[in-house]
mmCIF file of all heavy atoms in Angstrom:
data_model
loop_
_atom_site.group_PDB
_atom_site.id
_atom_site.type_symbol
_atom_site.label_atom_id
_atom_site.label_comp_id
_atom_site.label_asym_id
_atom_site.label_seq_id
_atom_site.Cartn_x
_atom_site.Cartn_y
_atom_site.Cartn_z
ATOM 1 N N TYR A 11 -71.409 9.003 44.224
ATOM 2 C CA TYR A 11 -71.525 10.373 44.555
ATOM 3 C C TYR A 11 -73.001 10.875 44.662
ATOM 4 O O TYR A 11 -73.219 11.985 45.133
ATOM 5 C CB TYR A 11 -70.834 11.347 43.477
ATOM 6 C CG TYR A 11 -69.334 11.119 43.543
ATOM 7 C CD1 TYR A 11 -68.691 11.733 42.503
ATOM 8 C CD2 TYR A 11 -68.611 10.586 44.619
ATOM 9 C CE1 TYR A 11 -67.266 11.782 42.519
ATOM 10 C CE2 TYR A 11 -67.295 10.632 44.559
ATOM 11 C CZ TYR A 11 -66.520 11.252 43.565
ATOM 12 O OH TYR A 11 -65.169 11.198 43.454
ATOM 13 N N ASN A 12 -73.999 9.965 44.244
ATOM 14 C CA ASN A 12 -75.380 10.464 44.235
ATOM 15 C C ASN A 12 -75.553 11.723 43.379
ATOM 16 O O ASN A 12 -76.390 12.602 43.669
ATOM 17 C CB ASN A 12 -75.950 10.647 45.658
ATOM 18 C CG ASN A 12 -77.398 10.832 45.616
ATOM 19 O OD1 ASN A 12 -78.080 10.223 44.753
ATOM 20 N ND2 ASN A 12 -77.910 11.624 46.455
ATOM 21 N N ILE A 13 -74.721 11.883 42.272
ATOM 22 C CA ILE A 13 -74.754 12.952 41.394
ATOM 23 C C ILE A 13 -75.177 12.366 39.987
ATOM 24 O O ILE A 13 -74.505 11.519 39.460
ATOM 25 C CB ILE A 13 -73.456 13.729 41.180
ATOM 26 C CG1 ILE A 13 -73.118 14.304 42.525
ATOM 27 C CG2 ILE A 13 -73.640 14.762 40.172
ATOM 28 C CD1 ILE A 13 -71.623 14.920 42.555
ATOM 29 N N ARG A 14 -76.338 12.918 39.471
ATOM 30 C CA ARG A 14 -76.894 12.507 38.175
ATOM 31 C C ARG A 14 -76.423 13.505 37.134
ATOM 32 O O ARG A 14 -76.265 14.708 37.396
ATOM 33 C CB ARG A 14 -78.336 12.406 38.084
ATOM 34 C CG ARG A 14 -78.811 11.483 39.207
ATOM 35 C CD ARG A 14 -80.381 11.249 39.237
ATOM 36 N NE ARG A 14 -81.062 12.488 39.665
ATOM 37 C CZ ARG A 14 -81.635 13.289 38.981
ATOM 38 N NH1 ARG A 14 -81.785 13.173 37.672
ATOM 39 N NH2 ARG A 14 -82.176 14.351 39.533
ATOM 40 N N CYS A 15 -76.161 13.033 35.890
ATOM 41 C CA CYS A 15 -75.790 13.936 34.729
ATOM 42 C C CYS A 15 -76.506 13.458 33.554
ATOM 43 O O CYS A 15 -76.348 12.297 33.077
ATOM 44 C CB CYS A 15 -74.246 13.892 34.653
ATOM 45 S SG CYS A 15 -73.645 15.026 33.321
ATOM 46 N N ASN A 16 -77.326 14.323 32.999
ATOM 47 C CA ASN A 16 -78.120 14.082 31.857
ATOM 48 C C ASN A 16 -77.903 15.189 30.837
ATOM 49 O O ASN A 16 -77.383 16.345 31.115
ATOM 50 C CB ASN A 16 -79.585 13.941 32.181
ATOM 51 C CG ASN A 16 -79.861 12.711 33.115
ATOM 52 O OD1 ASN A 16 -79.724 11.647 32.592
ATOM 53 N ND2 ASN A 16 -80.085 13.003 34.311
ATOM 54 N N VAL A 17 -78.337 14.873 29.563
ATOM 55 C CA VAL A 17 -78.123 15.917 28.528
ATOM 56 C C VAL A 17 -79.523 16.141 27.779
ATOM 57 O O VAL A 17 -80.226 15.266 27.416
ATOM 58 C CB VAL A 17 -77.014 15.533 27.568
ATOM 59 C CG1 VAL A 17 -77.286 14.179 26.791
ATOM 60 C CG2 VAL A 17 -76.736 16.645 26.635
ATOM 61 N N VAL A 18 -79.742 17.431 27.424
ATOM 62 C CA VAL A 18 -80.876 17.820 26.746
ATOM 63 C C VAL A 18 -80.529 18.215 25.306
ATOM 64 O O VAL A 18 -79.478 18.990 25.109
ATOM 65 C CB VAL A 18 -81.662 19.019 27.420
ATOM 66 C CG1 VAL A 18 -82.858 19.533 26.635
ATOM 67 C CG2 VAL A 18 -82.094 18.592 28.748
ATOM 68 N N LEU A 19 -81.194 17.781 24.334
ATOM 69 C CA LEU A 19 -80.832 18.097 22.819
ATOM 70 C C LEU A 19 -82.014 18.789 22.316
ATOM 71 O O LEU A 19 -82.925 18.151 21.631
ATOM 72 C CB LEU A 19 -80.455 16.883 22.155
ATOM 73 C CG LEU A 19 -79.214 15.965 22.554
ATOM 74 C CD1 LEU A 19 -79.650 15.117 23.706
ATOM 75 C CD2 LEU A 19 -78.623 15.291 21.411
ATOM 76 N N PRO A 20 -82.163 20.139 22.333
ATOM 77 C CA PRO A 20 -83.229 20.867 21.721
ATOM 78 C C PRO A 20 -83.059 21.027 20.171
ATOM 79 O O PRO A 20 -81.949 21.011 19.710
ATOM 80 C CB PRO A 20 -83.084 22.240 22.361
ATOM 81 C CG PRO A 20 -82.071 22.124 23.461
ATOM 82 C CD PRO A 20 -81.204 21.053 23.094
ATOM 83 N N GLY A 21 -84.083 21.022 19.628
ATOM 84 C CA GLY A 21 -84.279 21.470 18.260
ATOM 85 C C GLY A 21 -84.353 22.962 18.210
ATOM 86 O O GLY A 21 -84.020 23.710 19.117
ATOM 87 N N ALA A 22 -85.103 23.507 17.229
ATOM 88 C CA ALA A 22 -85.319 24.982 17.115
ATOM 89 C C ALA A 22 -86.328 25.454 18.197
ATOM 90 O O ALA A 22 -87.373 24.992 18.335
ATOM 91 C CB ALA A 22 -85.901 25.265 15.689
ATOM 92 N N HIS A 23 -85.833 26.422 18.946
ATOM 93 C CA HIS A 23 -86.665 27.158 19.883
ATOM 94 C C HIS A 23 -86.489 28.629 19.716
ATOM 95 O O HIS A 23 -85.446 29.034 19.374
ATOM 96 C CB HIS A 23 -86.366 26.771 21.304
ATOM 97 C CG HIS A 23 -86.792 25.342 21.658
ATOM 98 N ND1 HIS A 23 -86.167 24.228 21.190
ATOM 99 C CD2 HIS A 23 -87.847 24.885 22.296
ATOM 100 C CE1 HIS A 23 -86.795 23.111 21.617
ATOM 101 N NE2 HIS A 23 -87.867 23.497 22.330
ATOM 102 N N ASP A 24 -87.494 29.327 19.944
ATOM 103 C CA ASP A 24 -87.543 30.813 19.638
ATOM 104 C C ASP A 24 -86.792 31.551 20.764
ATOM 105 O O ASP A 24 -87.329 31.986 21.817
ATOM 106 C CB ASP A 24 -89.024 31.183 19.596
ATOM 107 C CG ASP A 24 -89.103 32.776 19.159
ATOM 108 O OD1 ASP A 24 -88.101 33.224 18.556
ATOM 109 O OD2 ASP A 24 -90.155 33.384 19.358
ATOM 110 N N THR A 25 -85.532 31.764 20.474
ATOM 111 C CA THR A 25 -84.660 32.444 21.438
ATOM 112 C C THR A 25 -83.900 33.650 20.574
ATOM 113 O O THR A 25 -83.873 33.579 19.381
ATOM 114 C CB THR A 25 -83.573 31.647 22.049
ATOM 115 O OG1 THR A 25 -82.735 31.128 20.944
ATOM 116 C CG2 THR A 25 -84.188 30.393 22.662
ATOM 117 N N PRO A 26 -83.347 34.562 21.251
ATOM 118 C CA PRO A 26 -82.551 35.547 20.560
ATOM 119 C C PRO A 26 -81.475 34.999 19.648
ATOM 120 O O PRO A 26 -81.253 35.444 18.492
ATOM 121 C CB PRO A 26 -81.980 36.497 21.558
ATOM 122 C CG PRO A 26 -83.047 36.302 22.783
ATOM 123 C CD PRO A 26 -83.466 34.915 22.718
ATOM 124 N N MET A 27 -80.817 33.943 20.234
ATOM 125 C CA MET A 27 -79.709 33.438 19.330
ATOM 126 C C MET A 27 -80.251 32.688 18.097
ATOM 127 O O MET A 27 -79.670 32.895 17.039
ATOM 128 C CB MET A 27 -78.982 32.345 20.267
ATOM 129 C CG MET A 27 -77.710 31.779 19.537
ATOM 130 S SD MET A 27 -76.782 30.662 20.585
ATOM 131 C CE MET A 27 -77.632 29.194 20.297
ATOM 132 N N THR A 28 -81.313 31.977 18.290
ATOM 133 C CA THR A 28 -81.912 31.370 17.154
ATOM 134 C C THR A 28 -82.501 32.339 16.098
ATOM 135 O O THR A 28 -82.281 32.277 14.855
ATOM 136 C CB THR A 28 -83.137 30.384 17.627
ATOM 137 O OG1 THR A 28 -82.647 29.479 18.477
ATOM 138 C CG2 THR A 28 -83.788 29.762 16.377
ATOM 139 N N ARG A 29 -83.067 33.433 16.574
ATOM 140 C CA ARG A 29 -83.588 34.431 15.598
ATOM 141 C C ARG A 29 -82.417 35.103 14.799
ATOM 142 O O ARG A 29 -82.467 35.247 13.697
ATOM 143 C CB ARG A 29 -84.340 35.565 16.421
ATOM 144 C CG ARG A 29 -85.699 35.145 16.758
ATOM 145 C CD ARG A 29 -86.441 36.232 17.567
ATOM 146 N NE ARG A 29 -86.955 35.754 18.770
ATOM 147 C CZ ARG A 29 -86.795 36.176 19.933
ATOM 148 N NH1 ARG A 29 -85.960 37.272 20.119
ATOM 149 N NH2 ARG A 29 -87.425 35.652 21.015
ATOM 150 N N ALA A 30 -81.299 35.321 15.563
ATOM 151 C CA ALA A 30 -80.156 36.007 14.912
ATOM 152 C C ALA A 30 -79.551 34.982 13.946
ATOM 153 O O ALA A 30 -79.181 35.394 12.849
ATOM 154 C CB ALA A 30 -79.091 36.494 15.989
ATOM 155 N N ALA A 31 -79.483 33.792 14.225
ATOM 156 C CA ALA A 31 -78.892 32.756 13.417
ATOM 157 C C ALA A 31 -79.739 32.659 12.068
ATOM 158 O O ALA A 31 -79.230 32.529 11.119
ATOM 159 C CB ALA A 31 -78.730 31.367 14.035
ATOM 160 N N LEU A 32 -81.074 32.478 12.354
ATOM 161 C CA LEU A 32 -81.885 32.316 11.205
ATOM 162 C C LEU A 32 -81.917 33.340 10.203
ATOM 163 O O LEU A 32 -82.037 33.158 8.960
ATOM 164 C CB LEU A 32 -83.325 32.007 11.707
ATOM 165 C CG LEU A 32 -83.647 30.715 12.465
ATOM 166 C CD1 LEU A 32 -85.154 30.681 12.913
ATOM 167 C CD2 LEU A 32 -83.354 29.472 11.571
ATOM 168 N N ALA A 33 -81.712 34.568 10.706
ATOM 169 C CA ALA A 33 -81.550 35.750 9.778
ATOM 170 C C ALA A 33 -80.397 35.721 8.846
ATOM 171 O O ALA A 33 -80.480 36.348 7.795
ATOM 172 C CB ALA A 33 -81.542 37.024 10.656
ATOM 173 N N LEU A 34 -79.412 34.820 9.169
ATOM 174 C CA LEU A 34 -78.257 34.709 8.396
ATOM 175 C C LEU A 34 -78.422 33.565 7.255
ATOM 176 O O LEU A 34 -77.651 33.489 6.366
ATOM 177 C CB LEU A 34 -77.027 34.358 9.120
ATOM 178 C CG LEU A 34 -76.662 35.434 10.227
ATOM 179 C CD1 LEU A 34 -75.498 34.973 11.047
ATOM 180 C CD2 LEU A 34 -76.266 36.759 9.505
ATOM 181 N N LEU A 35 -79.454 32.758 7.431
ATOM 182 C CA LEU A 35 -79.620 31.552 6.473
ATOM 183 C C LEU A 35 -80.216 32.066 5.121
ATOM 184 O O LEU A 35 -81.206 32.845 5.132
ATOM 185 C CB LEU A 35 -80.469 30.601 7.066
ATOM 186 C CG LEU A 35 -79.961 29.835 8.298
ATOM 187 C CD1 LEU A 35 -80.964 28.820 8.820
ATOM 188 C CD2 LEU A 35 -78.729 29.116 7.892
ATOM 189 N N PRO A 36 -79.763 31.571 4.027
ATOM 190 C CA PRO A 36 -80.261 31.894 2.713
ATOM 191 C C PRO A 36 -81.742 31.304 2.648
ATOM 192 O O PRO A 36 -81.961 30.177 3.118
ATOM 193 C CB PRO A 36 -79.270 31.345 1.725
ATOM 194 C CG PRO A 36 -78.669 30.287 2.423
ATOM 195 C CD PRO A 36 -78.593 30.599 3.865
ATOM 196 N N PRO A 37 -82.573 31.774 1.730
ATOM 197 C CA PRO A 37 -83.898 31.227 1.525
ATOM 198 C C PRO A 37 -83.675 29.814 0.951
ATOM 199 O O PRO A 37 -82.829 29.585 0.122
ATOM 200 C CB PRO A 37 -84.480 32.101 0.430
ATOM 201 C CG PRO A 37 -83.848 33.434 0.668
ATOM 202 C CD PRO A 37 -82.390 33.061 1.096
ATOM 203 N N GLY A 38 -84.524 28.859 1.428
ATOM 204 C CA GLY A 38 -84.572 27.515 0.962
ATOM 205 C C GLY A 38 -83.531 26.553 1.721
ATOM 206 O O GLY A 38 -83.466 25.366 1.416
ATOM 207 N N GLU A 39 -82.826 27.125 2.689
ATOM 208 C CA GLU A 39 -81.855 26.274 3.449
ATOM 209 C C GLU A 39 -82.726 25.341 4.227
ATOM 210 O O GLU A 39 -83.862 25.583 4.688
ATOM 211 C CB GLU A 39 -81.128 27.308 4.390
ATOM 212 C CG GLU A 39 -79.766 26.617 4.837
ATOM 213 C CD GLU A 39 -79.824 25.682 6.027
ATOM 214 O OE1 GLU A 39 -80.904 25.770 6.753
ATOM 215 O OE2 GLU A 39 -79.003 24.795 6.131
ATOM 216 N N ALA A 40 -82.121 24.132 4.475
ATOM 217 C CA ALA A 40 -82.822 23.026 5.085
ATOM 218 C C ALA A 40 -83.421 23.363 6.510
ATOM 219 O O ALA A 40 -84.439 22.887 6.813
ATOM 220 C CB ALA A 40 -81.955 21.815 5.173
ATOM 221 N N GLY A 41 -82.640 24.118 7.210
ATOM 222 C CA GLY A 41 -83.114 24.487 8.547
ATOM 223 C C GLY A 41 -84.390 25.382 8.558
ATOM 224 O O GLY A 41 -85.244 25.233 9.446
#
């Protein structure tokens, strides 16, 4: 088909979703 398919695996990046998620983590959490 001449169609390529690849996957990206990001770590932490400064996005609205990440900011909202981090706000829910307790102090000292591994993340």
Side-chain angles (χ1 to χ4, degrees):
Y11 288 170
N12 193 32
I13 297 171
R14 299 179 294 108
C15 186
N16 295 291
V17 62
V18 175
L19 295 88
H23 286 76
D24 186 18
T25 66
M27 187 177 83
T28 301
R29 280 180 233 127
L32 292 176
L34 299 174
L35 292 178
E39 203 279 336

